[in-house]
Amino acid sequence: MDLSVVILAAGQGSRMRSQLPKVLHKLANKPLLRHVIDVAEQLSAQEIHIVYGHGGEVVRERLAAHNVSWVKQEQQLGTGHAVAQAVPHLTANHTVLVLYGDVPLITKETLQQLIKQVSGSSMGLLTAELANPSGYGRIVRNSDNAVQCITEEKDASAEVRKITEVNSGILAVQGEQLKGWLTRLKNNNAQGEYYLTDIIAMAVSDGIEVKTSQAVAVEEVEGINNRIQLARLERYYQQQQAERLMAAGVTLKDPARFDLRGTVETGMDVTIDINVILNGEVVIGNSVEIGANCVLTNVVVEDGTVILPNSIIEDAVVGRECTIGPFARIRPDTKLADRVKIGNFVEIKKAQVDEGAKINHLSYVGDSIVGKDVNIGAGVITCNYDGASKHLTEIGDDAFIGSDSQLVAPVKIGAGATIGAGSTITGDAPANQLTLTRSKQRSIDSWVRPQKNK
Ligand code: UD1
Ligand code: CA
């Protein structure tokens, strides 16, 4: 049967103590609600309906790129009321899967298992065994172990409160059956809310069997209500990512000090030292080494490259067998070819650097095309900005730029040219010649250094 997903996201999340709606807080740099939308998309749901609430316009705006339908719940009258808001928008009698915008780590595998429980005569309910079940709805079973109902903690007797099997909130049910039951919900309970959980007893009395299943890991069904829980789930998520990478052949010097906030593809024998953060889409080739405290964002690093500690690389491609850092900053639109060396305190922006070029110390190279085997000395600056526009610096193959020179763009340095140290180059420098603008050195032998008055 086809699938429609309803995601509940109308809650205020006041315990986050935030101006931002709870479901926009980020786990692994991705909004909680987006984790849930992503899993719904992985399940190939035909329809995704998101129930949002007061102040939730910003949620809609932030996640506008997704192909989902937005349903406003004006007042939060309970989980059953929330699902009922989405029901008129369901266009077909699909299986309906109910998820939560603040339960971000639920997996496709767990949900596929749950959805399988749905048939004309049965529904699926995701439960969990908890040593401390307080706060959760309890799963009440009869002597044949068949589910009878869910009782919310606030409505439960002391006896029922002892039950350790709890409701995760996540369930899957046939759409037409769900519609029928929701119209019969009442709010005569301890919280005066329309409980989604009351459909369980209705299912049982209509002869629909409630089949339970459990998540692969209990963290999958954990909701986030405060920043402590958010941090805990973040750590769980990162540990999972670290273990997945190690299983795929990556050496992590300390899996507890590694963060993946996006996706990474890794080759064989990659080594990653402590406190490395990978953001966005990162691709790392074979035998790459990444030193401590590096941050890589949307980067491709090809085979055999070594990135030394404290380097920051963003929107760049780094070729094979390069050496980067320590303390290098490589900014967007940079492409480094093979065997390039970028040393300490060097900033590169929007530059193409060809094979074997070296920029080893304290330089700024921006808006530039740097040829093969070029050697850029210490402290060289491309003056790419005149206060209004950016200009290009082109340096031919095998050129040598002496230390502490400024190349005032737009400017071209010919192949094999040498620029004398300390030059300010404002016009093109011809190939294979020495160009320099240094003023003549002189010494004054009669000069006396001023003395301090004693
Ligand atoms: C609910 C379940 C409980 C389960 C627990 C798991 C009910 C009645 N109870 O309780 O059995 O053990 O989740 O965490 O369903 N929401 C709306 N609109 C509303 C009310 C809630 O969108 O009017 C959303 C909230 O944003 C939240 C989710 O539904 O994401 C759960 O609501 P909450 O009030 O936290 O339910 P619980 O009391 O935790
Ligand atoms: Ca809750």
Side-chain angles (χ1 to χ4, degrees):
M1 198 188 242
D2 287 334
L3 182 69
S4 293
V5 174
V6 175
I7 303 174
L8 303 192
Q12 273 294 111
S14 54
R15 278 175 285 168
M16 295 301 280
R17 299 193 180 279
S18 174
Q19 293 176 307
L20 197 67
K22 174 164 72 174
V23 294
L24 288 181
H25 281 261
K26 289 176 177 176
L27 188 150
N29 203 33
K30 184 162 90 172
L32 300 178
L33 179 55
R34 233 193 85 198
H35 283 269
V36 185
I37 294 172
D38 286 353
V39 80
E41 286 176 349
Q42 285 168 30
L43 290 165
S44 309
Q46 274 76 15
E47 300 175 16
I48 300 173
H49 302 277
I50 301 178
V51 181
Y52 70 103
H54 176 71
E57 303 302 335
V58 58
V59 178
R60 253 187 104 148
E61 285 160 22
R62 293 281 176 90
L63 296 169
H66 290 271
N67 185 23
V68 297
S69 99
W70 295 91
V71 182
K72 188 159 187 183
Q73 184 191 23
E74 293 289 347
Q75 278 182 292
Q76 271 85 79
L77 302 178
T79 51
H81 180 261
V83 175
Q85 306 310 297
V87 155
H89 302 277
L90 296 170
T91 60
N93 184 22
H94 294 164
T95 291
V96 176
L97 171 66
V98 178
L99 299 177
Y100 298 82
D102 58 358
V103 182
L105 297 185
I106 189 71
T107 64
K108 178 180 148 193
E109 292 71 28
T110 293
L111 294 174
Q112 279 170 333
Q113 188 66 32
L114 178 74
I115 291 163
K116 267 197 244 158
Q117 316 279 27
V118 181
S119 73
S121 61
S122 61
M123 62 170 286
L125 179 65
L126 196 65
T127 70
E129 267 303 329
L130 295 184
N132 174 12
S134 68
Y136 289 89
R138 306 299 204 283
I139 308 298
V140 180
R141 294 175 182 266
N142 68 10
S143 53
D144 296 329
N145 211 34
V147 173
Q148 295 302 289
C149 64
I150 297 174
T151 304
E152 290 304 298
E153 166 136 328
K154 286 183 178 138
D155 301 292
S157 63
E159 205 55 34
V160 166
R161 286 183 188 200
K162 286 182 191 151
I163 297 171
T164 52
E165 186 185 12
V166 304
N167 173 31
S168 73
I170 294 172
L171 52 83
V173 55
Q174 201 235 331
E176 286 303 318
Q177 291 171 357
L178 175 67
K179 281 186 192 177
W181 298 329
L182 288 177
T183 56
R184 286 156 49 196
L185 287 183
K186 301 244 162 30
N187 66 350
N188 53 351
N189 50 51
Q191 301 181 76
E193 288 181 6
Y194 295 93
Y195 290 164
L196 177 62
T197 45
D198 285 351
I199 70 167
I200 301 301
M202 295 179 189
V204 172
S205 78
D206 285 357
I208 302 298
E209 186 187 355
V210 179
K211 294 185 176 174
T212 57
S213 59
Q214 280 76 40
V216 177
V218 71
E219 287 85 355
E220 285 187 41
V221 298
E222 279 182 17
I224 291 174
N225 295 307
N226 59 43
R227 295 184 202 237
I228 297 165
Q229 292 167 335
L230 177 61
R232 208 165 50 217
L233 276 198
E234 174 85 34
R235 279 305 104 208
Y236 167 78
Y237 176 86
Q238 294 302 347
Q239 183 198 329
Q240 296 290 105
Q241 304 312 310
E243 286 177 11
R244 185 172 58 78
L245 289 183
M246 291 188 289
V250 174
T251 295
L252 292 178
K253 292 293 185 188
D254 182 357
R257 286 180 288 174
F258 167 75
D259 285 84
L260 176 61
R261 301 175 186 165
T263 60
V264 63
E265 280 174 42
T266 49
M268 287 174 70
D269 298 313
V270 169
T271 300
I272 299 180
D273 211 330
I274 60 167
N275 296 336
V276 167
I277 301 175
L278 305 181
N279 293 307
E281 290 175 24
V282 175
V283 179
I284 302 173
N286 296 321
S287 303
V288 168
E289 290 177 29
I290 304 179
N293 309 320
C294 289
V295 181
L296 273 58
T297 305
N298 301 320
V299 173
V300 175
V301 185
E302 292 171 4
D303 299 355
T305 283
V306 177
I307 301 173
L308 294 165
N310 300 299
S311 295
I312 312 293
I313 310 181
E314 182 179 359
D315 292 325
V317 176
V318 181
R320 293 166 176 249
E321 292 166 40
C322 294
T323 305
I324 311 292
F327 296 97
R329 179 166 184 216
I330 303 197
R331 293 173 50 202
D333 297 321
T334 293
K335 191 168 186 321
L336 307 181
D338 300 345
R339 288 178 296 285
V340 164
K341 288 192 73 182
I342 305 293
N344 40 223
F345 309 108
V346 170
E347 175 178 347
I348 311 276
K349 187 217 79 171
K350 198 173 181 183
Q352 280 180 45
V353 181
D354 213 336
E355 260 186 85
K358 294 189 177 76
I359 311 172
N360 275 338
H361 331 267
L362 299 147
S363 290
Y364 171 64
V365 173
D367 299 288
S368 299
I369 299 174
V370 178
K372 284 196 180 63
D373 297 317
V374 164
N375 192 320
I376 295 187
V380 170
I381 306 292
T382 57
C383 308
N384 60 326
Y385 187 51
D386 58 14
S389 321
K390 302 280 166 65
H391 301 284
L392 184 67
T393 298
E394 291 177 75
I395 304 175
D397 294 350
D398 216 29
F400 181 99
I401 314 297
S403 293
D404 197 28
S405 293
Q406 303 96 54
L407 308 179
V408 181
V411 69
K412 287 184 187 160
I413 310 299
T418 300
I419 303 298
S423 296
T424 300
I425 302 295
T426 52
D428 294 352
N432 301 315
Q433 292 184 27
L434 172 65
T435 301
L436 72 171
T437 64
R438 200 182 303 158
S439 55
K440 224 186 186 114
Q441 179 171 326
R442 55 193 187 122
S443 301
I444 300 167
D445 65 357
S446 61
W447 184 79
V448 177
R449 185 188 290 178
Q451 302 291 311
K452 278 186 188 163
N453 292 331
K454 294 250 161 72

